[in-house]
């Protein structure tokens, strides 16, 4: 894999949150968001004419809290929620997750180190503090949803998540790309997890840039080593876009 090309003024920039913009922490609430990152994202949003969106497994209100005072275009819960550039919210109807929540809570009661996260339309079972329980978590979540087609079990970094089937980050990015100010631009998406692969599958066939953050196999053609490397790449992009004579044509990976 190669380093991503420089960001140009006609890019549509999509950014995952955990593991891409910020380092993953032991619990979802323990992350650290540097003030410089918030300022940087605000600058890039302006320089790209509003064509910057956060695409995350988090809920949008949680993203807003961590990035306050910014309220960027965003997709939350892997696309279950989406807020467009005009601030309009779209949200998929939540399924009945009672049995899933009960099973996850019971597992967390029995096994120390598990954390249950209740979202609008999904249940996430985190096992970062108990990685030896991966198979136990997977089997329990798979068993509770059985063969019900309306549910999908998704595996991310130290988390299993039950969510509505057929919704993913790629679908969310595709929706953004049909709307102003994203439409007609070159899509660029950076993400670190297996849940970001659906986004990579959308941007690269459009002539865009997919950036895998960190180690591991990926369909993305570009790579950055860490959230720190992402930050430095974005700083360089901001500085270039803010300088005179930046309106060059986009450059694709060679």
């Amino acid at each position: 894999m190669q380093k991503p090309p420089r960001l140009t003024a006609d890019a549509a920039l999509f950014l995952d949150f955990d593991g891409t913009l910020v380092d993953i922490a032991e619990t979802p609430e323990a992350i650290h968001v540097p003030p410089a990152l918030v300022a940087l994202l605000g600058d890039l949003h302006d320089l790209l004419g509003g064509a910057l969106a956060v695409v995350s497994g988090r809920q949008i209100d949680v993203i807003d809290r961590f990035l306050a005072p910014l309220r960027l275009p965003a997709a939350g819960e892997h696309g279950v929620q989406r807020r467009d550039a005009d601030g309009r919210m779209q949200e998929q109807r939540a399924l009945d997750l009672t049995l899933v929540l009960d099973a996850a809570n019971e597992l967390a009661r029995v096994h120390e180190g598990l954390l249950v996260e209740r979202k609008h339309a999904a249940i996430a079972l985190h096992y970062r503090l108990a990685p030896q329980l991966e198979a136990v978590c997977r089997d329990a979540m798979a068993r509770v949803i059985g063969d019900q087609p309306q549910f999908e079990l998704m595996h991310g970094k130290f988390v299993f998540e039950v969510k509505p089937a057929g919704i993913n980050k790629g679908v969310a990015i595709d929706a953004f790309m049909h709307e102003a100010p994203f439409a007609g631009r070159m899509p660029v998406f950076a993400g670190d997890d297996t849940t970001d692969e659906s986004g990579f599958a959308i941007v690269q066939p459009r002539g865009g840039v997919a950036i895998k953050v960190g180690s591991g196999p990926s369909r993305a053609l570009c790579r950055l080593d860490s959230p720190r490397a992402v930050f430095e790449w974005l700083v360089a992009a901001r500085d270039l876009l803010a300088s005179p004579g930046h309106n060059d044509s986009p450059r694709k990976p060679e």
Side-chain angles (χ1 to χ4, degrees):
M1 282 190 187
Q2 59 190 332
K3 297 291 185 182
R6 61 187 175 88
L7 201 64
T8 52
D10 61 350
L13 182 59
F14 302 99
L15 298 166
D16 174 46
F17 189 66
D18 294 274
T20 298
L21 290 177
V22 297
D23 288 310
I24 292 176
E26 287 191 343
T27 67
E29 285 297 312
I31 63 163
H32 172 64
V33 180
L37 174 63
V38 178
L40 174 61
L41 294 176
D43 290 345
L44 284 168
H45 176 262
D46 294 342
L47 289 165
L48 293 171
L52 184 156
V54 176
V55 181
S56 173
R58 299 254 194 180
Q59 292 177 274
I60 289 178
D61 62 339
V62 175
I63 297 168
D64 288 346
R65 174 161 55 84
F66 279 117
L67 296 181
L70 293 180
R71 284 177 57 86
L72 299 169
E77 296 191 37
H78 309 280
V80 169
Q81 306 172 309
R82 199 170 66 84
R83 181 172 63 210
D84 67 17
D86 293 325
R88 293 186 295 258
M89 282 285 294
Q90 302 173 32
E91 199 158 18
Q92 298 287 330
R93 181 180 62 86
L95 302 170
D96 185 355
L97 293 162
T98 304
L99 293 178
V100 179
L101 182 61
D102 288 347
N105 282 334
E106 175 62 17
L107 208 62
R109 185 187 68 81
V110 174
H111 298 284
E112 187 176 352
L114 299 182
L115 175 66
V116 179
E117 182 182 6
R118 175 69 163 96
K119 302 181 182 181
H120 165 72
I123 303 294
L125 180 61
H126 299 267
Y127 60 93
R128 177 165 296 276
L129 298 178
Q132 73 278 7
L133 295 176
E134 176 181 349
V136 172
C137 294
R138 181 191 62 238
D139 293 347
M141 293 294 95
R143 188 163 52 249
V144 74
I145 65 173
D147 57 358
Q148 299 178 78
Q150 69 270 32
F151 291 116
E152 178 182 341
L153 180 61
M154 185 173 59
H155 188 199
K157 285 185 176 176
F158 297 100
V159 62
F160 286 101
E161 188 164 342
V162 174
K163 68 176 189 64
I167 298 171
N168 56 52
K169 293 182 179 183
V171 172
I173 290 172
D174 183 68
F176 277 121
M177 290 301 297
H178 284 86
E179 302 170 349
F182 301 92
R185 290 171 170 263
M186 184 181 73
V188 179
F189 177 44
D192 73 303
D193 205 346
T194 55
T195 59
D196 299 307
E197 294 294 321
S198 61
F200 299 155
I202 288 294
V203 304
Q204 286 184 159
R206 291 173 182 249
V209 178
I211 306 166
K212 167 74 172 179
V213 180
S215 60
S218 176
R219 74 181 74 206
L221 298 179
C222 297
R223 191 184 295 270
L224 290 168
D225 291 336
S226 64
R228 179 66 195 178
V230 173
F231 180 82
E232 292 170 353
W233 179 71
L234 292 174
V235 167
R238 178 196 59 190
D239 294 347
L240 181 65
L241 292 172
S243 66
H246 61 78
N247 289 312
D248 301 328
S249 60
R251 183 163 60 87
K252 301 177 185 177
E254 297 172 359

